[in-house]
Amino acid sequence: MFGGQVAAPINSPHLRRSGSRAVVSDLGAELGNGVENSYVHPLEINGSKNASIPLVTAAIVPSPTLLWRFKVLLFLLWGFICGKTGWQSVMRMSADLRDLFLYEAFLYYNPLLLVTTMAWLWGINLWVFSRSNINYAKIFDLDQNHLTHREIWKCATWMTIIVPTSMTAYLYLYSNGEVSLAASQPVLLYFAVVMLLIFPFDIFYFSSRYYLLRALWRIVLPLQAITFSDFFLADILTSMAKVFSDIERSVCRMVHRQVATIAWFEADSVCGSHSVAIPLVLVLPYLFRFFQCLRQYRDIGERSALLNVF
């Protein structure tokens, strides 16, 4: 019963003769059609190569929840480091210089922080539009490559990281006597923002950047028909008049090499509070909106367009 010989078919694909090649021509067919995309490991038995048995390998990808928690942890760690470094830098300054220097740092970085806040709020608007099934792409005449609320929030996240990091470096370097390096921090930040907007290569949402620059150009020079997006953006600009004024003051001090100094503190200085450029910059967004209304009245002939002037 147990000692008898077991007969096996000669043409069995699982048998091989001593010193001969393995016969496994049908093994791949038995394992399925997905063998071609699998990684093959040759096995050796008794010093000779045996059949190449395919082994399916699966990519190890961390869960989205784990990645999100790790990002939050890094963000909190970054916030703690910036807050602690900035506080120690401010406390290292003398009491009479501390207020003046904080006012200057506020002037350079407050406009960019407000723009960052606006980006977060605009992302919330797009999120509400998408949840309410509002086709905002058609309303604002956007193409299929327009930014979604997730991409807006991604840009706002990087702005939230970069701007406070530059401000922390500014405070740290100045409190440690590196005045020239401290003065370069806001200059580099403003230069990077401008270059990012006008960068002519197809990277970092080129179509959206081009759309924004083209809309700004139509607002400054309303030589063609006014669209709804032009009106909408012009209204936003009127709400940011103080931001533009602070940017003008910051650029003035950068051009005249007054960054990280108190030369601007005198009201009659070239970048002081008595400069005529301050009211001019404050009124510019309203002038752009005024000319928009005149152009709209010329195109449609309705007197209601003139009411928007007031």
Side-chain angles (χ1 to χ4, degrees):
M1 178 177 178
F2 297 97
Q5 295 182 356
V6 180
I10 300 175
N11 58 350
S12 174
H14 304 291
L15 297 180
R16 76 188 273 274
R17 299 175 184 175
S18 177
S20 63
R21 298 177 59 185
V23 183
V24 290
S25 58
D26 297 333
L27 185 57
E30 292 178 4
L31 293 177
N33 296 327
V35 175
E36 292 80 5
N37 298 326
S38 303
Y39 188 80
V40 178
H41 292 274
L43 302 179
E44 292 186 7
I45 301 178
N46 296 328
S48 60
K49 291 186 178 180
N50 196 4
S52 296
I53 302 177
L55 299 177
V56 180
T57 59
I60 300 177
V61 179
S63 64
T65 303
L66 180 61
L67 286 177
W68 184 82
R69 291 178 180 177
F70 182 69
K71 292 178 182 179
V72 171
L73 179 62
L74 289 180
F75 184 80
L76 294 177
L77 180 62
W78 163 84
F80 174 77
I81 294 175
C82 286
K84 184 178 180 180
T85 304
W87 176 260
Q88 292 177 349
S89 301
V90 171
M91 292 296 102
R92 194 178 292 115
M93 301 178 188
S94 60
D96 55 345
L97 182 63
R98 187 180 303 158
D99 294 339
L100 295 177
F101 187 77
L102 286 179
Y103 176 77
E104 184 184 18
F106 177 81
L107 177 67
Y108 298 144
Y109 293 99
N110 179 61
L112 298 182
L113 290 175
L114 291 178
V115 172
T116 302
T117 304
M118 184 195 67
W120 280 109
L121 295 177
W122 178 241
I124 294 176
N125 285 337
L126 296 186
W127 177 75
V128 173
F129 291 159
S130 62
R131 297 284 291 182
S132 304
N133 295 324
I134 299 176
N135 190 3
Y136 62 89
K138 185 176 182 180
I139 295 175
F140 295 106
D141 193 21
L142 303 176
D143 57 13
Q144 296 180 352
N145 297 324
H146 67 274
L147 299 182
T148 63
H149 64 278
R150 295 184 182 275
E151 293 168 329
I152 293 292
W153 284 340
K154 184 183 298 184
C155 297
T157 301
W158 281 109
M159 294 168 65
T160 305
I161 294 174
I162 294 175
V163 176
T165 300
S166 176
M167 182 173 62
T168 303
Y170 179 67
L171 296 174
Y172 176 80
L173 291 172
Y174 186 86
S175 63
N176 286 273
E178 301 291 343
V179 179
S180 60
L181 291 178
S184 66
Q185 297 304 310
V187 176
L188 292 176
L189 182 61
Y190 276 70
F191 179 78
V193 171
V194 174
M195 291 303 300
L196 189 62
L197 285 175
I198 66 175
F199 201 62
F201 299 101
D202 192 7
I203 59 175
F204 195 73
Y205 311 121
F206 175 75
S207 60
S208 298
R209 291 188 288 112
Y210 177 74
Y211 176 86
L212 176 61
L213 294 176
R214 186 176 55 181
L216 291 175
W217 180 256
R218 290 197 303 264
I219 292 173
V220 175
L221 294 176
L223 302 179
Q224 55 185 351
I226 307 300
T227 62
F228 177 76
S229 60
D230 297 339
F231 269 116
F232 191 83
L233 183 58
D235 282 335
I236 295 177
L237 296 183
T238 56
S239 302
M240 299 177 62
K242 183 60 170 61
V243 174
F244 296 137
S245 178
D246 290 344
I247 291 177
E248 185 274 331
R249 293 290 83 194
S250 301
V251 174
C252 178
R253 295 171 187 176
M254 294 176 189
V255 172
H256 292 88
R257 300 180 181 274
Q258 295 181 359
V259 182
T261 65
I262 58 174
W264 53 268
F265 188 68
E266 297 181 0
D268 295 330
S269 63
V270 63
C271 296
S273 59
H274 291 176
S275 175
V276 69
I278 296 177
L280 289 179
V281 175
L282 286 173
V283 78
L284 275 180
Y286 299 96
L287 287 177
F288 297 152
R289 190 72 176 87
F290 173 77
F291 290 123
Q292 269 191 345
C293 295
L294 294 182
R295 176 57 194 250
Q296 188 75 0
Y297 176 74
R298 176 192 172 188
D299 292 339
I300 64 178
E302 295 183 1
R303 293 185 177 181
S304 59
L306 295 178
L307 297 178
N308 291 324
V309 175
F310 308 100

